[in-house]
């Protein structure tokens, strides 16, 4: 059949020209055309533009974002700023909207107690009604991307329709273009699809008007996400957290993992080797700054796919090629690599920062805060309050920067390697002010899975809602786990057990505080924890066995701090940070057990480990007769 047949509705609507039809026909895949036809007919844009991998097409996107005002130029070459909608400090589009993000489920399907779900029919009826005409007077862009390196066993393909050129431009920085990869599909249906619309826009710069009608609905059955009335990347960009949810669903029935992980190349001084580590931390808990540690190399900072490889290791790829990083607290002292990257000329999108005279400012940038400027609340002046009398900061705490990794001086040479990189260790961390030590090595793989499964973290501004509330987040992935949690853990267990060289697993905690609420660690101390873990993976360091896992020896840390940070690490520092807080740890185990009791089919190994840890902690308490045991008390 003539392929054009599949586009008949939009050809009739007269919104696509011959040149663009040709680009679609060249893909030789009627599934793609059917989706485009269906959603263009529904969303009713005034024009459809197909973007291939060509530089001309990609430049078109970049220029359009400026022309439409979705991005504004800043002083430094290549720098632009984008703003997301803001009504007041608790009603805005500056973060992920968990309330209106829902998984569509049919009768009898798994209904997660942790993320929102909605009956499939009901959800589709609702969102399709909202999407009817949502792109009116907008141009709809059709994009093709590759999640992961090209020509790679890891990678998945993604079709994106959007009426936001900011979304498109961000995706050009963050993802690999995949028009040519789609051509290789040979007519197959093996791709995810994402349909996004900012919906009706208001103001200058133009932002989403109807935030009350913001919806992000995930259709696992079709491998498709519909998202409308938003611009913030975590809600709008198909390839970010929307694709992660679909990938977790897919991998759950196969033999690989889709994780909320950075991938870091660790280069210990004087050792002439590189070891790759993954790490999963909840949003805004130091993931990007760990991936960008000085003198190390970055493969990725947010999402990784891991597969068992024929060398006996797990290999991982970054499914992205850019960083959508939190800019708060990025300053010359604490994050020198990021600071350099975002203050020099290169294609960079800032979002929700303050602009004055073409210069971007953000929270914790180490500079004097201007008295006024333009920010996410449009014109900002010092002490500005929202309609509820709440102070509006000069930049949003979840303000971000978007850049390409390959332009950075610390980009790892394997960023685009289709075979990924072998993973020697995995870090799991959370924002925990009073319980876990800065670094802890698991007894074995299964205990490592347990450590990942029991991450707890205090909520941050990366999601809409109250901050500072302690929440569990298995593998820092809970917001995205659309499959039964028990099965997800079982898959992790099986994944490691199949490997000849399973990664060593470490729990990290950069956020431990003293009684006065002061952080016990400097921002760059994480470098020493990472280097210690790397050394452990190579047998360079001994360790101390505690009831909850292995901790470093004081002498090793002292040298690591001296050699890498030029810092004196005292015995007092060590004792404060690495003491075993028995009752706090037991309380944590209880909280975690209570959480998992809400799930069916949690694997037995999980309960066994929890019980074992509980017993060991109780034994320690009765042996020592104290609640906080110094690391010097263990042999
Ligand atoms: C996160 O919140 O984990 C992010 C940013 O990486 S978002 O795109 O909102 O997911
Ligand atoms: Mn993330």
């Amino acid at each position: 059949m003539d392929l054009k047949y599949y586009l008949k509705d939009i050809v009739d609507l007269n919104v696509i020209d011959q040149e663009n039809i040709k680009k679609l026909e060249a893909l030789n895949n009627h599934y793609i055309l059917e989706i485009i036809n269906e959603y263009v007919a529904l969303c009713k844009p005034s024009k459809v533009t197909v973007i291939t991998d060509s530089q001309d097409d990609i430049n078109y996107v970049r220029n359009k974002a400026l022309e439409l005002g979705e991005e504004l130029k800043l002083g430094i070459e290549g720098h632009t700023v984008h703003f997301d909608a803001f009504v007041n400090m608790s009603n805005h589009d500056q973060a992920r909207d968990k309330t209106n993000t829902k998984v569509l489920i049919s009768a009898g399907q798994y209904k997660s107690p942790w993320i929102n779900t909605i009956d499939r029919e009901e959800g589709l009826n609702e969102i399709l009604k909202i999407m009817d005409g949502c792109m009116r007077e907008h141009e709809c862009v059709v994009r093709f991307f590759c999640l992961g390196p090209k020509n790679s066993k890891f990678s998945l393909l993604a079709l994106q329709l959007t009426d936001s050129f900011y979304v498109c431009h961000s995706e050009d920085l963050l993802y690999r273009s995949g028009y040519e990869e789609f051509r290789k599909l040979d007519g197959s249906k093996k791709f995810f699809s994402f349909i996004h619309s900012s919906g009706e826009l208001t103001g200058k710069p133009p932002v989403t008007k109807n935030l009350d009608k913001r919806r992000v609905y995930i259709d696992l059955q079709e491998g498709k996400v519909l998202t409308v009335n938003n611009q913030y990347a975590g809600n709008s960009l198909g390839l970010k957290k929307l694709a992660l949810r679909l990938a977790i669903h897919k991998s759950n029935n196969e033999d690989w993992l889709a994780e909320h992980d950075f991938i870091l190349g660790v280069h210990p001084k004087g050792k002439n080797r590189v070891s790759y580590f993954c790490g999963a931390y909840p949003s805004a808990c130091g993931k990007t700054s760990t991936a960008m540690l000085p003198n190390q190399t970055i493969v990725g900072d947010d999402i990784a796919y891991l597969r068992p490889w024929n060398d006996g290791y797990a290999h991982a790829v970054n499914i992205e090629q850019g960083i959508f990083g939190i800019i708060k607290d990025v300053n010359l002292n604490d994050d020198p690599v990021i600071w350099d990257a975002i203050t020099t000329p290169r294609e960079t999108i800032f979002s929700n920062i303050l602009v004055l005279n073409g210069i971007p400012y953000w929270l914790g940038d180490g500079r004097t805060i201007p008295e006024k400027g333009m920010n996410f609340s449009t014109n900002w002046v010092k002490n500005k309050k929202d309609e509820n009398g709440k102070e509006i900061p000069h930049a949003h705490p979840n303000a971000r920067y978007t850049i390409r990794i390959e332009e950075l001086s610390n980009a790892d040479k394997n960023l685009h390697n289709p075979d990924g990189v072998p993973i020697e260790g995995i870090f799991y961390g959370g924002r925990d002010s009073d319980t876990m030590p800065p670094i802890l090595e698991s007894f074995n793989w299964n205990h490592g899975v347990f450590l990942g499964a029991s991450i707890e973290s205090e909520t941050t501004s990366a999601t809409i809602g109250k901050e500072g509330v302690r929440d569990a987040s298995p593998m820092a992935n809970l917001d995205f786990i659309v499959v039964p949690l028990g099965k997800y853990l079982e898959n992790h267990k099986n994944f490691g057990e199949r490997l000849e060289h399973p990664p060593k697993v470490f729990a990290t905690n950069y956020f431990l505080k003293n009684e006065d609420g002061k952080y016990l660690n400097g921002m760059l101390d994480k470098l020493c924890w990472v280097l210690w873990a790397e050394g452990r993976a190579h047998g360079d360091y001994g360790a101390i066995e505690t009831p909850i896992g292995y901790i470093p020896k004081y002498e090793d840390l002292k040298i690591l701090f001296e050699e890498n940070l030029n810092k004196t690490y005292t015995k007092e520092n060590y004792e404060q940070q690495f003491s075993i807080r028995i009752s706090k740890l037991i309380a944590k185990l209880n909280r975690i057990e209570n959480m998992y009791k809400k799930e069916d089919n949690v694997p037995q190994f999980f309960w066994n480990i929890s019980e074992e840890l509980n017993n060991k902690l109780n034994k320690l308490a009765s042996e020592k007769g104290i609640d906080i045991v110094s690391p010097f008390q263990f042999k």
Side-chain angles (χ1 to χ4, degrees):
M1 195 183 302
D2 184 2
L3 273 173
K4 228 196 244 157
Y5 165 82
Y6 295 97
L7 291 173
K8 64 180 178 346
D9 296 330
I10 67 170
V11 170
D12 287 351
L13 286 169
N14 216 5
V15 289
I16 184 163
D17 65 17
Q18 280 310 316
E19 194 191 329
N20 282 291
I21 290 178
K22 267 204 200 116
K23 288 179 180 174
L24 291 179
E25 282 180 328
L27 295 166
N28 217 354
N29 187 319
H30 72 87
Y31 295 110
I32 300 172
L33 305 195
E34 276 174 332
I35 292 173
I36 297 170
N37 191 61
E38 180 184 349
Y39 287 95
V40 168
L42 176 74
C43 301
K44 304 183 177 60
S46 53
K47 184 179 174 191
V48 175
T49 302
V50 179
I51 302 293
T52 66
D53 301 347
S54 83
Q55 198 54 49
D56 279 355
D57 282 7
I58 288 169
N59 290 346
Y60 175 80
V61 166
R62 193 175 162 187
N63 291 334
K64 267 282 176 181
L66 287 168
E67 191 186 303
L68 295 171
E70 280 193 83
E71 287 175 42
L72 309 167
K73 276 194 176 178
L74 294 172
I76 293 180
E77 181 60 31
H79 289 197
T80 56
V81 58
H82 163 82
F83 293 106
D84 296 307
F86 172 82
V87 179
N88 59 48
M89 287 307 287
S90 42
N91 181 14
H92 55 70
D93 188 31
Q94 312 274 319
R96 269 190 284 117
D97 176 4
K98 296 211 305 191
T99 309
N100 291 302
T101 300
K102 296 180 186 170
V103 179
L104 303 174
I105 54 167
S106 307
Q109 272 182 329
Y110 170 71
K111 189 170 162 36
S112 166
W114 319 110
I115 53 180
N116 292 312
T117 53
I118 186 169
D119 171 73
R120 186 161 186 275
E121 287 297 304
E122 186 192 336
L124 283 175
N125 276 341
E126 183 196 5
I127 196 164
L128 293 177
K129 216 178 274 164
I130 295 177
M131 291 182 83
D132 189 351
C134 63
M135 294 189 187
R136 234 173 231 125
E137 289 166 39
H138 295 179
E139 182 171 340
C140 174
V141 197
V142 180
R143 302 297 312 262
F144 303 90
F145 290 105
C146 182
L147 287 159
K150 295 184 186 180
N151 300 310
S152 167
K153 185 179 175 199
F154 286 89
S155 301
L156 301 174
L157 297 184
L159 168 68
Q160 169 86 66
L161 270 65
T162 177
D163 60 357
S164 165
F165 283 90
Y166 157 69
V167 164
C168 252
H169 182 206
S170 299
E171 288 184 330
D172 276 322
L173 295 175
L174 293 171
Y175 304 98
R176 295 149 177 117
S177 58
Y179 180 81
E180 294 305 323
E181 294 288 307
F182 262 83
R183 283 175 68 129
K184 292 185 214 152
L185 262 184
D186 227 11
S188 126
K189 211 179 170 178
K190 284 193 196 144
F191 58 89
F192 293 149
S193 36
F194 305 96
I195 295 88
H196 165 259
S197 169
S198 313
E200 198 179 332
L201 299 171
T202 181
K204 246 180 165 192
V207 295
T208 293
K209 183 177 172 196
N210 302 310
L211 292 182
D212 57 325
K213 295 207 181 76
R214 176 173 48 206
R215 299 288 182 276
V216 184
Y217 282 7
I218 297 145
D219 190 356
L220 301 174
Q221 194 173 310
E222 294 287 322
K224 187 192 290 168
V225 182
L226 306 178
T227 172
V228 62
N229 289 314
N230 62 67
Q231 290 164 301
Y232 172 69
N235 299 320
S236 62
L237 260 63
L239 282 82
K240 215 172 208 337
K241 296 313 187 325
L242 314 186
L244 175 59
R245 293 175 174 100
L246 298 180
I248 286 174
H249 181 248
K250 185 169 165 56
S251 66
N252 190 56
N253 294 313
E254 299 173 7
D255 66 346
W256 56 284
L257 303 174
E259 297 300 306
H260 193 197
D261 274 1
F262 67 70
I263 309 171
L264 167 73
V266 187
H267 303 251
K269 260 190 190 161
K271 298 254 168 74
N272 203 18
R273 68 179 182 227
V274 53
S275 314
Y276 292 98
F277 279 70
C278 282
Y281 308 155
S283 310
C285 292
K287 195 142 65 81
T288 304
S289 55
T290 307
M292 293 281 273
L293 277 168
N295 306 318
Q296 319 304 315
T297 51
I298 177 172
V299 180
D301 88 316
D302 200 33
I303 304 171
Y305 294 169
L306 286 83
R307 281 183 177 273
W309 214 248
N310 55 16
D311 57 4
Y313 285 87
H315 277 223
V317 296
N318 179 8
I319 61 110
E320 309 188 287
Q321 60 160 5
I323 299 176
F324 175 61
I326 293 184
I327 202 165
K328 179 176 176 236
D329 292 333
V330 170
N331 58 59
L332 185 55
N333 279 337
D334 296 332
D335 283 298
V337 187
I338 307 178
W339 176 268
D340 183 54
I342 63 177
T343 53
T344 46
R346 63 170 42 79
E347 207 171 336
T348 307
I349 309 172
F350 294 82
S351 54
N352 305 321
I353 42 82
L354 177 90
V355 186
L356 181 64
N357 301 327
I359 301 171
Y361 294 87
W362 55 90
L363 304 180
D365 62 13
R367 291 173 294 186
T368 311
I369 302 172
E371 300 280 315
K372 61 176 185 169
M374 184 186 186
N375 79 353
F376 56 94
S377 71
T378 60
N379 289 326
W380 178 86
V381 286
K382 203 172 165 181
N383 299 325
K384 183 174 177 182
K385 307 269 190 305
D386 73 3
E387 59 197 16
N388 303 320
K390 202 153 184 229
E391 177 98 25
I392 301 175
H394 66 289
H396 196 273
N398 194 35
R400 303 256 172 173
Y401 60 91
T402 305
I403 46 172
R404 283 195 183 90
I405 293 174
E406 63 190 8
E407 286 191 35
L408 306 177
S409 56
N410 59 331
D412 190 274
K413 64 179 193 318
N414 283 313
L415 171 63
H416 296 300
N417 189 335
D419 292 342
V421 292
I423 298 303
E424 307 219 24
I426 301 179
F427 298 109
Y428 290 114
R431 183 176 287 266
D432 164 9
S433 48
D434 62 9
T435 307
M436 293 286 279
I439 184 125
L440 175 80
E441 181 186 325
S442 76
F443 295 119
N444 51 44
W445 172 258
N446 284 357
H447 178 223
V449 176
F450 182 89
L451 285 180
S454 50
I455 294 180
E456 289 185 307
S457 198
E458 290 136 37
T459 50
T460 69
S461 61
T463 53
I464 298 172
K466 200 167 174 338
E467 287 180 42
V469 180
R470 178 156 23 206
D471 250 348
S473 184
M475 280 66 180
N477 221 358
L478 189 60
D479 289 352
F480 318 112
I481 301 179
V482 292
V483 299
L485 199 46
K487 176 93 190 295
Y488 176 80
L489 293 189
E490 184 79 35
N491 286 352
H492 270 74
K493 173 177 177 283
N494 294 340
F495 183 83
E497 284 179 352
R498 272 198 303 268
L499 297 167
E500 193 183 331
H501 307 288
K504 277 183 172 287
V505 183
F506 301 86
T508 61
N509 177 21
Y510 306 153
F511 301 93
L512 208 52
K513 291 177 178 171
N514 67 11
E515 295 75 26
D516 304 330
K518 275 217 180 102
Y519 286 115
L520 287 175
N521 287 110
M523 290 277 268
L524 278 175
D525 290 5
K526 50 176 93 79
L527 178 60
C528 298
W529 318 137
V530 164
L531 289 169
W532 180 76
E534 197 276 346
R536 283 291 291 167
H538 289 266
D540 291 354
Y541 303 118
I544 296 169
E545 185 172 344
T546 77
I548 56 167
Y550 298 110
I551 57 171
K553 291 182 173 168
Y554 169 70
E555 298 72 35
D556 293 329
L557 290 181
K558 187 171 169 4
I559 296 170
L560 279 166
F561 271 82
E562 234 156 52
E563 285 186 349
N564 294 284
L565 297 178
N566 208 4
K567 215 170 144 175
T568 310
Y569 188 71
T570 66
K571 285 189 174 171
E572 290 70 36
N573 293 146
Y574 177 69
E575 195 158 39
Q576 264 189 316
Q577 295 168 14
F578 285 92
S579 284
I580 300 298
R581 299 161 173 80
I582 299 176
S583 56
K584 289 233 155 57
L585 285 160
I586 290 177
K588 174 181 162 84
L589 285 174
N590 289 340
R591 285 194 299 273
I592 295 297
E593 285 203 359
N594 286 335
M595 166 180 180
Y596 281 88
K597 278 181 194 154
K598 296 198 183 111
E599 281 277 343
D600 294 331
N601 304 318
V602 173
Q604 191 54 42
F605 85 94
F606 175 91
W607 303 115
N608 293 348
I609 291 176
S610 190
E611 191 184 338
E612 203 178 305
L613 295 175
N614 227 312
N615 291 342
K616 283 186 185 175
L617 285 165
N618 278 309
K619 187 162 167 258
L620 182 69
S622 57
E623 265 171 26
K624 303 281 180 197
I626 44 173
D627 187 42
I628 298 176
V629 182
S630 159
F632 292 114
Q633 296 218 21
F634 299 97
K635 297 205 183 71

